[in-house]
Amino acid sequence: MFRFIPSKQEDCWKLSIDTISNTELSSLFTPLKIGNLQLSHRMVMAPMTRNRVDENGVINADLVAEYYSQRATKGGLLITESTCISAEAHGYYRTAGFYTKEQIEAYKKVVKAVKAKGAHFFLQLVHTGRVSHSKFQPDGQSPRGPSAIRIEGNTEIPDGSSVPFEVPLEYQEHEIARVIKDFREAAKRAALAGFDGVEIHGGTGYLLDQFLHDGSNQRTDKYGGSIQNRCRFPLEVLDAVQAGWKEGVGASSPLVGNVTLRLSPFSSFNGMSDSNEMELYRYFISRLNEYRPAFLHLIEARVPNFSVVQNFAELFEGVVIGAAGFNPESADKLIQRGAKAHPKQEFVVSFGRNFISNPDLPLRVLLRAPITHYDRSTFYTFDKAGYTDQQSLTEQQVNINVEHFRRHFHGKPEIQKEIDELVHILRV
């Protein structure tokens, strides 16, 4: 079962109207355009594994559709949980797949529900590589990775027991070509299912991340050795996904550029390590500009006095989404600081666990309303508890908070009008 620990502790936020400016709203509520998608605010719902999936990788369509649509706002952006591109891509019990007819049809119901709310919806594609175990693999075969190097420690298998990670088989070049094709086909299927875009999971120790790092990639062929060679597979995947997505939506579609990538520089999760992490990511992120992804999604690392976004965003010529450990104040500062340092670049922030317990999180942040703390014990269960039973603000609570804002911005009718418009958009 998925147990990713974010880079920083995301405490339950305590918001107060007294701590905000009386001359302008948070920059989280300034609109922007990503490709052809008009975002009404900059609070993205981050991808989060939640396990409301059966043993065949088919999501519980009705429950999952309710969950995502509860958190969808007009002009908002949501990214799905990590979704496996093939049977061998799975590494955890009851995680979503997107390669069988049943899996795809189930996701179509979710897409329909989210888009009915006027939101934008991206599917995150993943292959777990050596993180997997033979218990998750077709016919009980060994998991595969860039090299035959096991992760230290244990993993959890379907019966709930904890067992050591296995030594993976090293991918042969013809097998790598098959995996790249699997990514391409998954992107094409996502387009045909109605998603607005796809995000490739290139971080937290999964397959692309494994190829990038010399701690897990000790190949001697064109996919290993130098930084340039270790970046080859992730770049080939990106190229293939863009081609598959383009084929699915059509070359003339306004959605044709909506492919993106999520990275986690300096993360040690799932045994990641590299002899020169800074040089690795400076090279890789610079290379991404050749492919012009819709945005770059960067996960902050658990490194004292170091910001992934601040160190690497300047290398990317496009929209950057920061993730992990942000609260409304630090997110606002990131967007404002980024606008000053890089005037041609836009910054957005994705939020995770507080979106779980607050379906109307953007509205609560706008109005400085109380934030409900999340319950970790329900993160990876299989029913509606802690999933679709979280409460949004009542009409009365919204009205009370709006009135507080009117008093705070007394004499500023243009801001009051903006608040009214945003409240209308953000009510879920």
Side-chain angles (χ1 to χ4, degrees):
M1 200 175 297
F2 190 61
R3 288 290 184 271
F4 173 53
I5 302 173
S7 59
K8 299 177 183 176
Q9 292 300 316
E10 186 181 31
D11 296 326
C12 187
W13 307 332
K14 294 178 175 60
L15 307 180
S16 170
I17 195 171
D18 297 326
T19 63
I20 65 173
S21 164
N22 62 358
T23 60
E24 60 183 0
L25 297 178
S26 167
S27 56
L28 283 167
F29 300 102
T30 53
L32 81 156
K33 205 167 187 179
I34 296 180
N36 75 307
L37 302 180
Q38 185 65 49
L39 271 61
S40 59
H41 59 87
R42 303 186 185 216
M43 294 187 67
V44 173
M45 181 175 169
M48 293 174 284
T49 295
R50 299 301 311 279
N51 292 117
R52 272 61 177 186
V53 182
D54 71 15
E55 294 181 352
N56 297 313
V58 181
I59 59 172
N60 182 331
D62 293 336
L63 191 64
V64 176
E66 182 181 4
Y67 169 74
Y68 282 110
S69 63
Q70 284 176 342
R71 289 152 182 82
T73 55
K74 185 177 180 181
L77 174 60
L78 300 85
I79 305 174
T80 71
E81 56 217 87
S82 295
T83 303
C84 297
I85 61 167
S86 64
E88 75 170 34
H90 288 270
Y92 302 99
Y93 185 51
R94 291 175 70 161
T95 49
F98 200 69
Y99 49 89
T100 70
K101 181 180 178 181
E102 293 76 18
Q103 294 166 350
I104 296 164
E105 290 302 314
Y107 251 127
K108 284 181 179 179
K109 294 181 181 179
V110 184
V111 172
K112 183 178 180 181
V114 170
K115 297 183 80 168
K117 299 288 286 289
H120 309 302
F121 203 25
F122 276 47
L123 177 69
Q124 189 187 76
L125 304 175
V126 71
H127 191 304
T128 62
R130 69 171 187 165
V131 172
S132 189
H133 187 277
S134 57
K135 293 294 185 181
F136 297 109
Q137 291 297 301
D139 302 321
Q141 64 190 14
S142 296
R144 284 168 167 75
S147 298
I149 302 172
R150 70 176 290 271
I151 304 171
E152 293 184 9
N154 288 6
T155 187
E156 190 174 300
I157 59 176
D159 66 7
S161 60
S162 178
V163 299
F165 281 103
E166 296 174 320
V167 177
L169 297 176
E170 180 176 303
Y171 269 121
Q172 302 303 304
E173 286 196 29
H174 72 276
E175 293 173 320
I176 291 174
R178 172 176 51 77
V179 172
I180 292 171
K181 182 179 178 181
D182 288 341
F183 269 103
R184 175 183 175 133
E185 292 302 310
K188 180 180 176 180
R189 290 191 293 267
L192 297 175
F195 282 97
D196 294 300
V198 289
E199 177 177 270
I200 305 164
H201 197 337
T204 57
Y206 299 127
L207 188 59
L208 272 68
D209 212 15
Q210 293 161 26
F211 270 88
L212 284 173
H213 288 82
D214 60 18
S216 49
N217 180 354
Q218 296 180 9
R219 304 174 68 94
T220 57
D221 61 5
K222 65 181 182 179
Y223 291 105
S226 67
I227 287 176
Q228 290 83 353
N229 280 357
R230 284 183 276 122
C231 290
R232 186 187 306 276
F233 173 70
L235 292 174
E236 287 183 352
V237 168
L238 175 57
D239 186 57
V241 168
Q242 288 180 324
W245 176 257
K246 181 179 180 179
E247 184 179 354
V249 297
S252 61
S253 170
L255 302 176
V256 72
N258 290 355
V259 173
T260 185
L261 190 68
R262 195 176 206 225
L263 302 175
S264 57
F266 287 92
S267 170
S268 60
F269 187 64
N270 280 325
M272 288 295 95
S273 65
D274 195 84
S275 58
N276 196 334
E277 191 96 356
M278 181 65 78
E279 184 181 349
L280 168 64
Y281 278 100
R282 288 190 67 83
Y283 173 81
F284 184 60
I285 292 173
S286 297
R287 285 291 311 276
L288 293 179
N289 293 314
E290 300 170 24
Y291 299 84
R292 301 177 64 85
F295 56 81
L296 177 61
H297 199 169
L298 292 175
I299 305 173
E300 286 290 355
R302 188 177 295 173
V303 178
N305 303 313
F306 180 85
S307 168
V308 165
V309 174
Q310 290 183 41
N311 275 275
F312 294 115
E314 65 179 8
L315 302 173
F316 184 68
E317 299 169 2
V319 175
V320 172
I321 298 182
F326 287 95
N327 58 42
E329 283 71 28
S330 61
D332 180 45
K333 289 178 182 177
L334 170 68
I335 295 168
Q336 291 194 34
R337 184 170 56 242
K340 292 178 181 177
H342 312 286
K344 295 183 179 180
Q345 196 169 35
E346 297 282 4
F347 290 83
V348 183
V349 178
S350 66
F351 298 93
R353 291 172 287 175
N354 280 312
F355 245 123
I356 292 175
S357 51
N358 300 274
D360 56 348
L361 184 64
L363 180 63
R364 289 177 186 253
V365 171
L366 171 70
L367 298 178
R368 316 298 288 183
I371 300 296
T372 303
H373 196 43
Y374 45 79
D375 179 1
R376 290 178 180 273
S377 69
T378 65
F379 281 5
Y380 308 107
T381 51
F382 311 123
D383 55 25
K384 69 177 184 180
Y387 192 67
T388 58
D389 60 352
Q390 308 298 293
Q391 299 300 308
S392 296
L393 294 173
T394 65
E395 187 78 15
Q396 182 181 19
Q397 289 172 322
V398 172
N399 291 337
I400 290 172
N401 280 277
V402 168
E403 186 56 36
H404 288 165
F405 255 73
R406 291 188 186 281
R407 291 199 294 268
H408 186 79
F409 290 104
H410 179 71
K412 299 181 176 62
E414 69 285 354
I415 297 181
Q416 293 182 357
K417 180 181 178 183
E418 185 179 358
I419 292 168
D420 290 340
E421 292 173 348
L422 282 166
V423 169
H424 177 73
I425 289 171
L426 299 177
R427 278 180 170 169
V428 297

